[in-house]
Amino acid sequence: HQINKNYSKITAPNPPSMEMKNMFQITDKQFRADTYGPQHHYHNWPMLYILENGKKAYIGESNDVTTRMSQHKSTPDKKIFKDVHFIYSSEFNKSVTLDFESQLIQLMAADEMFILTNDNRGIANKDYYNKEYYDNFFPNLWNQLRAKNLVRKNIAEIKNSDLFKYSPYKEL
């Protein structure tokens, strides 16, 4: 934060700058792999991930996806998954990944391409610094998931569906 010349007002810094086109990096890996890559962000950065086997999916977030994948591999209900799709952005923070995880669970449940195995709707972080700013970028992530055939429908189509309106995953 910076104090102006009159020392009467604190101004927040400008929000992070993100190029919409290159904001998200989605990396596809084999879930059972021993390692996912040397990149720093696999070990120490908030990320989203989707586990799937073509029929069922699980959506999660973690600050250390390498450790989280090891935990999932030892959990019987996660052993059904074949692929993992890591979603990285240099602009992610924990609040954003929690929010986007919740939105992905809600929308992917109503999209019906996969049967979700999530037990809950994620942790919906109702408000956080620059939320409105980050919300503008969620449709870009969704469109990248559509391009990778991980979701079928567009967001407007889903939000207008009865399945979404009455979904137990939907945030109240």
Side-chain angles (χ1 to χ4, degrees), residues 107-121:
L107 292 168
M108 287 181 74
D111 183 63
E112 296 184 291
M113 182 158 179
F114 295 103
I115 297 167
L116 293 189
T117 64
N118 291 71
D119 292 332
N120 60 39
R121 64 176 190 227

PDB file of all heavy atoms in Angstrom, residues 107-121:
ATOM      1  N   LEU A 107     -20.271 -26.138 -11.648  1.00  0.00           N
ATOM      2  CA  LEU A 107     -20.542 -26.147 -13.079  1.00  0.00           C
ATOM      3  C   LEU A 107     -20.309 -27.520 -13.718  1.00  0.00           C
ATOM      4  O   LEU A 107     -21.078 -27.955 -14.577  1.00  0.00           O
ATOM      5  CB  LEU A 107     -19.704 -25.079 -13.786  1.00  0.00           C
ATOM      6  CG  LEU A 107     -20.102 -23.641 -13.451  1.00  0.00           C
ATOM      7  CD1 LEU A 107     -19.053 -22.661 -13.951  1.00  0.00           C
ATOM      8  CD2 LEU A 107     -21.461 -23.303 -14.029  1.00  0.00           C
ATOM      9  N   MET A 108     -19.256 -28.213 -13.299  1.00  0.00           N
ATOM     10  CA  MET A 108     -18.985 -29.528 -13.894  1.00  0.00           C
ATOM     11  C   MET A 108     -20.039 -30.553 -13.482  1.00  0.00           C
ATOM     12  O   MET A 108     -20.361 -31.454 -14.252  1.00  0.00           O
ATOM     13  CB  MET A 108     -17.577 -30.003 -13.561  1.00  0.00           C
ATOM     14  CG  MET A 108     -16.514 -29.236 -14.350  1.00  0.00           C
ATOM     15  SD  MET A 108     -14.821 -29.783 -14.030  1.00  0.00           S
ATOM     16  CE  MET A 108     -14.796 -31.350 -14.920  1.00  0.00           C
ATOM     17  N   ALA A 109     -20.600 -30.422 -12.280  1.00  0.00           N
ATOM     18  CA  ALA A 109     -21.689 -31.312 -11.870  1.00  0.00           C
ATOM     19  C   ALA A 109     -22.882 -31.133 -12.799  1.00  0.00           C
ATOM     20  O   ALA A 109     -23.495 -32.108 -13.236  1.00  0.00           O
ATOM     21  CB  ALA A 109     -22.084 -31.036 -10.424  1.00  0.00           C
ATOM     22  N   ALA A 110     -23.201 -29.899 -13.147  1.00  0.00           N
ATOM     23  CA  ALA A 110     -24.334 -29.619 -14.028  1.00  0.00           C
ATOM     24  C   ALA A 110     -24.002 -29.862 -15.498  1.00  0.00           C
ATOM     25  O   ALA A 110     -24.907 -30.095 -16.304  1.00  0.00           O
ATOM     26  CB  ALA A 110     -24.806 -28.182 -13.830  1.00  0.00           C
ATOM     27  N   ASP A 111     -22.735 -29.835 -15.860  1.00  0.00           N
ATOM     28  CA  ASP A 111     -22.319 -30.101 -17.237  1.00  0.00           C
ATOM     29  C   ASP A 111     -22.567 -31.560 -17.618  1.00  0.00           C
ATOM     30  O   ASP A 111     -22.854 -31.861 -18.763  1.00  0.00           O
ATOM     31  CB  ASP A 111     -20.831 -29.761 -17.399  1.00  0.00           C
ATOM     32  CG  ASP A 111     -20.330 -29.939 -18.816  1.00  0.00           C
ATOM     33  OD1 ASP A 111     -20.812 -29.224 -19.716  1.00  0.00           O
ATOM     34  OD2 ASP A 111     -19.470 -30.816 -19.029  1.00  0.00           O
ATOM     35  N   GLU A 112     -22.462 -32.457 -16.660  1.00  0.00           N
ATOM     36  CA  GLU A 112     -22.759 -33.885 -16.799  1.00  0.00           C
ATOM     37  C   GLU A 112     -21.818 -34.661 -17.709  1.00  0.00           C
ATOM     38  O   GLU A 112     -22.131 -35.780 -18.093  1.00  0.00           O
ATOM     39  CB  GLU A 112     -24.197 -34.118 -17.262  1.00  0.00           C
ATOM     40  CG  GLU A 112     -25.240 -33.648 -16.285  1.00  0.00           C
ATOM     41  CD  GLU A 112     -26.629 -33.988 -16.736  1.00  0.00           C
ATOM     42  OE1 GLU A 112     -27.094 -33.393 -17.735  1.00  0.00           O
ATOM     43  OE2 GLU A 112     -27.246 -34.870 -16.101  1.00  0.00           O
ATOM     44  N   MET A 113     -20.688 -34.105 -18.060  1.00  0.00           N
ATOM     45  CA  MET A 113     -19.732 -34.884 -18.837  1.00  0.00           C
ATOM     46  C   MET A 113     -19.127 -35.977 -17.955  1.00  0.00           C
ATOM     47  O   MET A 113     -18.833 -37.066 -18.420  1.00  0.00           O
ATOM     48  CB  MET A 113     -18.631 -33.994 -19.405  1.00  0.00           C
ATOM     49  CG  MET A 113     -17.657 -34.758 -20.260  1.00  0.00           C
ATOM     50  SD  MET A 113     -16.815 -33.627 -21.368  1.00  0.00           S
ATOM     51  CE  MET A 113     -15.744 -34.769 -22.197  1.00  0.00           C
ATOM     52  N   PHE A 114     -18.930 -35.650 -16.675  1.00  0.00           N
ATOM     53  CA  PHE A 114     -18.393 -36.597 -15.702  1.00  0.00           C
ATOM     54  C   PHE A 114     -19.352 -36.699 -14.521  1.00  0.00           C
ATOM     55  O   PHE A 114     -20.050 -35.739 -14.198  1.00  0.00           O
ATOM     56  CB  PHE A 114     -17.035 -36.102 -15.158  1.00  0.00           C
ATOM     57  CG  PHE A 114     -15.942 -36.037 -16.168  1.00  0.00           C
ATOM     58  CD1 PHE A 114     -15.562 -34.823 -16.708  1.00  0.00           C
ATOM     59  CD2 PHE A 114     -15.264 -37.179 -16.570  1.00  0.00           C
ATOM     60  CE1 PHE A 114     -14.532 -34.742 -17.640  1.00  0.00           C
ATOM     61  CE2 PHE A 114     -14.236 -37.114 -17.500  1.00  0.00           C
ATOM     62  CZ  PHE A 114     -13.872 -35.898 -18.032  1.00  0.00           C
ATOM     63  N   ILE A 115     -19.320 -37.828 -13.857  1.00  0.00           N
ATOM     64  CA  ILE A 115     -19.972 -37.968 -12.560  1.00  0.00           C
ATOM     65  C   ILE A 115     -18.929 -37.535 -11.535  1.00  0.00           C
ATOM     66  O   ILE A 115     -17.840 -38.122 -11.478  1.00  0.00           O
ATOM     67  CB  ILE A 115     -20.396 -39.425 -12.312  1.00  0.00           C
ATOM     68  CG1 ILE A 115     -21.423 -39.859 -13.348  1.00  0.00           C
ATOM     69  CG2 ILE A 115     -20.929 -39.599 -10.887  1.00  0.00           C
ATOM     70  CD1 ILE A 115     -21.666 -41.357 -13.379  1.00  0.00           C
ATOM     71  N   LEU A 116     -19.228 -36.495 -10.783  1.00  0.00           N
ATOM     72  CA  LEU A 116     -18.258 -35.992  -9.812  1.00  0.00           C
ATOM     73  C   LEU A 116     -18.267 -36.851  -8.553  1.00  0.00           C
ATOM     74  O   LEU A 116     -19.322 -37.243  -8.070  1.00  0.00           O
ATOM     75  CB  LEU A 116     -18.546 -34.537  -9.444  1.00  0.00           C
ATOM     76  CG  LEU A 116     -18.360 -33.504 -10.550  1.00  0.00           C
ATOM     77  CD1 LEU A 116     -18.458 -32.104  -9.972  1.00  0.00           C
ATOM     78  CD2 LEU A 116     -17.040 -33.669 -11.265  1.00  0.00           C
ATOM     79  N   THR A 117     -17.076 -37.115  -8.045  1.00  0.00           N
ATOM     80  CA  THR A 117     -16.936 -37.894  -6.811  1.00  0.00           C
ATOM     81  C   THR A 117     -16.634 -37.000  -5.610  1.00  0.00           C
ATOM     82  O   THR A 117     -16.423 -37.517  -4.520  1.00  0.00           O
ATOM     83  CB  THR A 117     -15.841 -38.969  -6.955  1.00  0.00           C
ATOM     84  OG1 THR A 117     -14.577 -38.336  -7.161  1.00  0.00           O
ATOM     85  CG2 THR A 117     -16.153 -39.914  -8.119  1.00  0.00           C
ATOM     86  N   ASN A 118     -16.639 -35.689  -5.796  1.00  0.00           N
ATOM     87  CA  ASN A 118     -16.423 -34.765  -4.674  1.00  0.00           C
ATOM     88  C   ASN A 118     -17.547 -34.944  -3.660  1.00  0.00           C
ATOM     89  O   ASN A 118     -18.717 -35.059  -4.038  1.00  0.00           O
ATOM     90  CB  ASN A 118     -16.412 -33.313  -5.161  1.00  0.00           C
ATOM     91  CG  ASN A 118     -15.200 -32.999  -5.994  1.00  0.00           C
ATOM     92  OD1 ASN A 118     -15.096 -33.473  -7.126  1.00  0.00           O
ATOM     93  ND2 ASN A 118     -14.298 -32.211  -5.450  1.00  0.00           N
ATOM     94  N   ASP A 119     -17.178 -34.972  -2.388  1.00  0.00           N
ATOM     95  CA  ASP A 119     -18.174 -35.120  -1.326  1.00  0.00           C
ATOM     96  C   ASP A 119     -18.861 -33.803  -0.992  1.00  0.00           C
ATOM     97  O   ASP A 119     -19.868 -33.789  -0.312  1.00  0.00           O
ATOM     98  CB  ASP A 119     -17.513 -35.666  -0.052  1.00  0.00           C
ATOM     99  CG  ASP A 119     -17.038 -37.094  -0.232  1.00  0.00           C
ATOM    100  OD1 ASP A 119     -17.621 -37.829  -1.052  1.00  0.00           O
ATOM    101  OD2 ASP A 119     -16.064 -37.466   0.457  1.00  0.00           O
ATOM    102  N   ASN A 120     -18.287 -32.714  -1.432  1.00  0.00           N
ATOM    103  CA  ASN A 120     -18.863 -31.406  -1.115  1.00  0.00           C
ATOM    104  C   ASN A 120     -18.671 -30.480  -2.300  1.00  0.00           C
ATOM    105  O   ASN A 120     -18.169 -30.883  -3.344  1.00  0.00           O
ATOM    106  CB  ASN A 120     -18.227 -30.822   0.151  1.00  0.00           C
ATOM    107  CG  ASN A 120     -16.724 -30.645   0.000  1.00  0.00           C
ATOM    108  OD1 ASN A 120     -16.231 -30.252  -1.056  1.00  0.00           O
ATOM    109  ND2 ASN A 120     -15.979 -30.927   1.054  1.00  0.00           N
ATOM    110  N   ARG A 121     -19.052 -29.246  -2.117  1.00  0.00           N
ATOM    111  CA  ARG A 121     -18.963 -28.277  -3.217  1.00  0.00           C
ATOM    112  C   ARG A 121     -17.682 -27.459  -3.170  1.00  0.00           C
ATOM    113  O   ARG A 121     -17.563 -26.442  -3.833  1.00  0.00           O
ATOM    114  CB  ARG A 121     -20.176 -27.360  -3.216  1.00  0.00           C
ATOM    115  CG  ARG A 121     -20.262 -26.489  -1.979  1.00  0.00           C
ATOM    116  CD  ARG A 121     -21.435 -25.534  -2.097  1.00  0.00           C
ATOM    117  NE  ARG A 121     -21.338 -24.575  -1.030  1.00  0.00           N
ATOM    118  CZ  ARG A 121     -22.323 -24.227  -0.252  1.00  0.00           C
ATOM    119  NH1 ARG A 121     -23.500 -24.758  -0.417  1.00  0.00           N
ATOM    120  NH2 ARG A 121     -22.144 -23.335   0.689  1.00  0.00           N
TER     121      ARG A 121
END
